[in-house]
Amino acid sequence: MASHLSSGDLLADRRYRYAEACLADGDFTGAADLAEQALEIAPRYAPAWLLLGRAREALAAEGAPDLRDAAARAYAHALAIDPGDTLGVRAHLTRLKPAGGLPVLSAAHIRALFDGYAPRFERHLVEGLGYVGPQCIRDALPADPERFAIVLDLGCGTGLMGAAIRDRAEHLVGIDVSPGMLTRARDRLWRDRPLYDRLVEDEVIAFLAGEPQGSADLCLAADVLIYVADLGAFLAGIGRILRPGGLGAVTVQSHDGAGTVLGPDGRYAHADRHLADTAAAAGLDLVALRPASIRREAGRPVPGRVVVLRRTAA
């Protein structure tokens, strides 16, 4: 199988990059055509099959329902080439061909995605997608207490959230599944010293389950829950690790239906009612739930929420 970064053919790579740009701009017909051109040259390039599936699925949603099965076939081709599913294709395929339960993004996919994304992560996220999640979270936090003793930055990435909250943290811990992201976070400075006091390579739910109970004062997750299917396990982990009265603050992608859904963009969206009920079950009071556009996709704001939670005293 070709590398995820290259098909091994310069012309195919160029067609694929053009297809990516078309998909990002909402030109799904152009994206599909260019992906097909790339695959004519490099038929075993799994990312192009994935992109073709996404373009066909978007066209099906716009009024060409016969392309839904064609999208599923493209996803199946990608998965056959990449059985380890580092591209996260299985979740897309399961969404189109439900077999029961919510499709789950594999840890291997998340790790590979962000390891490859790390060098251009901040520029693309902030400049390209207008990402403002860390500032939204900071603005939503109450002024009291002024500083938090132990702050956990869950899914810290390169440190955008950490930099936004560092002046309110006595001890800042960053957790991420991607070694590439952690390398960038390790190099980030704040007032001539490392931004983070501790960095941990781990999947966030596993990390929350392994840390001492009641050991944190503030848990933050900026643009992390778009990759988390099991909202219950995530919030239960926060409820367990926070001290009574401790705060949690997260951003979510939202939708008007019920529960959690995985959209064609490969991200999970969580309904308001589901979020509130799941937080209550985890022993967390809902302090604030604010509508917010955390980023843009295809030039349009993505509906989202900024959520602040407090660990109950009991």
Side-chain angles (χ1 to χ4, degrees):
M1 185 184 77
S3 161
H4 291 165
L5 299 179
S6 173
S7 67
D9 185 286
L10 290 177
L11 184 57
D13 287 352
R14 189 175 298 120
R15 295 285 189 274
Y16 175 75
R17 298 304 174 199
Y18 290 156
E20 278 190 314
C22 285
L23 189 70
D25 288 341
D27 179 5
F28 305 125
T29 298
D33 288 344
L34 285 161
E36 288 171 345
Q37 291 177 35
L39 288 165
E40 286 176 3
I41 303 167
R44 292 200 45 86
Y45 189 38
W49 282 111
L50 171 58
L51 194 152
L52 178 59
R54 292 182 61 194
R56 286 174 172 174
E57 187 177 353
L59 289 168
E62 289 189 342
D66 56 309
L67 288 178
R68 186 177 174 88
D69 286 341
R73 289 194 297 273
Y75 291 144
H77 275 296
L79 191 58
I81 296 167
D82 176 32
D85 199 24
T86 55
L87 293 173
V89 176
R90 186 171 285 108
H92 289 280
L93 189 58
T94 304
R95 189 186 62 255
L96 284 184
K97 302 287 186 180
L102 189 69
V104 176
L105 298 176
S106 69
H109 163 57
I110 300 298
R111 185 177 296 107
L113 173 67
F114 284 102
D115 276 349
Y117 194 18
R120 60 190 179 94
F121 173 76
E122 290 191 22
R123 181 173 181 180
H124 178 247
L125 196 62
V126 176
E127 297 180 16
L129 303 182
Y131 177 62
V132 291
Q135 189 60 48
C136 287
I137 285 179
R138 181 186 173 93
D139 291 346
L141 287 171
D144 183 34
E146 183 178 349
R147 290 175 66 81
F148 298 88
I150 304 294
V151 177
L152 305 182
D153 183 3
L154 303 166
C156 65
T158 60
L160 290 173
M161 184 70 249
I165 202 66
R166 177 71 253 198
D167 65 325
R168 296 190 65 182
E170 299 287 350
H171 186 87
L172 181 61
V173 183
I175 304 95
D176 205 283
V177 73
S178 164
M181 289 290 192
L182 289 172
T183 296
R184 301 271 167 166
R186 191 170 290 112
D187 291 340
R188 188 184 285 270
L189 300 178
W190 184 77
R191 295 181 181 175
D192 297 323
R193 65 184 180 91
L195 174 64
Y196 290 96
D197 298 291
R198 177 186 171 207
L199 286 168
V200 181
E201 182 184 333
D202 203 352
E203 190 273 331
V204 292
I205 294 177
F207 171 84
L208 290 169
E211 288 292 290
Q213 184 171 347
S215 59
D217 301 279
L218 176 64
C219 289
L220 305 171
D223 227 29
V224 171
L225 288 174
I226 59 174
Y227 302 107
V228 175
D230 192 348
L231 185 63
F234 182 87
L235 292 183
I238 287 181
R240 193 190 76 83
I241 205 170
L242 282 176
R243 297 187 177 98
L247 296 175
V250 304
T251 58
V252 300
Q253 190 163 313
S254 60
H255 71 108
D256 293 331
T260 296
V261 298
L262 180 68
D265 58 358
R267 296 181 175 96
Y268 296 104
H270 306 280
D272 291 353
R273 183 73 265 164
H274 176 56
L275 201 154
D277 291 346
T278 307
L284 297 165
D285 291 332
L286 188 60
V287 176
L289 191 152
R290 300 180 179 177
S293 175
I294 307 304
R295 67 180 185 283
R296 299 187 302 270
E297 291 286 351
R300 297 187 294 271
V302 175
R305 303 285 188 267
V306 180
V307 185
V308 180
L309 306 160
R310 178 178 283 112
R311 181 71 172 91
T312 59

